[in-house]
Amino acid sequence: MALLPEDIIDRLIQMERRINALSTAVNTRPPLTEITNGSLALKRQAKPEDPVALVAQLATSGPGGTKPVLRVNDAYGHEVLSDDILTGGLARPWLPMLPPQDMASANWPATSATAWTTIAQSQNPIWQPKMRLRMYTRVSTGAAGQIRVMVGGVQFGSTIAAGGVFDHTAAVTTDMQADFGKDLNVEIHALVTSASGTVYAKPVLMHGRQT
């Protein structure tokens, strides 16, 4: 029988301890999909020497220093996404808000045509799968008319009688992955259904929404 070194038992015991320690570390470390009071740097795999393309940081701050705070910086250190550490909500990016609108209907987009006519139009990139549009409408005294909204060539919401309020939220794409970032064409159509008169419409709110 071959002779074994005198310390072989000690070596085996030490090896077993190290294996147990490694197993424990692997099973207890947080998953790589989570950031806990630290930061995650995303780099290009093709060239290890390339600069960091995106950095996400999660720290503890806010009221009482107990609220998680999210920060995302681009490759140049610009803060492109963050939450408000004082009240919650979104700090960056700043989202556009519609300025106060002229409430004199005589200055609104309008038509006296008795066939559907485009009286207002806009184009916006698709960032969310849904959209909400709120619009005031008017009609001249003694006249009658209708208003509808077309989004991407498809009617958005119901046709309403002029003089009412249009307020509708619905999906603007059925394939968000394919349509993301594409221009979305929004049109307001109007027509006069009486012998004569004028129909007016004024959008006062429009924004994207999540599913």
Side-chain angles (χ1 to χ4, degrees):
M1 180 177 178
L3 296 177
L4 296 175
E6 294 181 358
D7 62 347
I8 188 65
I9 301 300
D10 293 337
R11 292 182 181 180
L12 289 174
I13 292 174
Q14 291 177 2
M15 185 178 297
E16 183 180 15
R17 289 174 178 171
R18 290 176 181 175
I19 292 174
N20 289 336
L22 288 173
S23 178
T24 300
V26 169
N27 292 327
T28 58
R29 66 178 299 179
L32 296 179
T33 54
E34 294 182 2
I35 307 173
T36 304
N37 291 335
S39 63
L40 172 67
L42 305 180
K43 300 182 179 180
R44 295 178 183 174
Q45 293 182 342
K47 297 180 180 179
E49 68 275 11
D50 283 352
V52 174
L54 185 68
V55 176
Q57 297 177 328
L58 184 65
T60 301
S61 185
T66 59
K67 303 294 184 181
V69 177
L70 176 65
R71 296 284 185 270
V72 176
N73 298 333
D74 66 10
Y76 298 93
H78 303 141
E79 190 174 87
V80 295
L81 176 66
S82 61
D83 57 359
D84 192 316
I85 65 174
L86 297 180
T87 63
L90 191 63
R92 287 185 178 83
W94 294 352
L95 300 181
M97 298 178 69
L98 188 69
Q101 300 295 291
D102 189 342
M103 287 293 99
S105 57
N107 300 324
W108 294 2
T111 185
S112 297
T114 55
W116 285 117
T117 303
T118 301
I119 60 173
Q121 181 181 33
S122 70
Q123 292 185 342
N124 301 271
I126 297 177
W127 297 115
Q128 288 93 15
K130 285 186 175 182
M131 184 184 80
R132 180 187 177 193
L133 173 62
R134 181 177 174 84
M135 174 173 56
Y136 296 154
T137 70
R138 300 285 188 272
V139 64
S140 58
T141 304
Q146 294 182 328
I147 304 285
R148 72 182 183 187
V149 177
M150 306 296 290
V151 175
V154 178
Q155 185 162 349
F156 182 78
S158 302
T159 300
I160 68 167
V165 175
F166 180 93
D167 195 336
H168 185 66
T169 301
V172 293
T173 175
T174 57
D175 191 343
M176 188 63 183
Q177 301 306 312
D179 294 338
F180 181 80
K182 290 183 179 180
D183 287 343
L184 184 69
N185 190 53
V186 180
E187 295 181 344
I188 299 173
H189 293 181
L191 61 78
V192 175
T193 56
S194 54
S196 62
T198 304
V199 173
Y200 309 85
K202 187 68 171 181
V204 292
L205 181 149
M206 188 172 81
H207 62 83
R209 296 189 62 171
Q210 75 280 14
T211 55

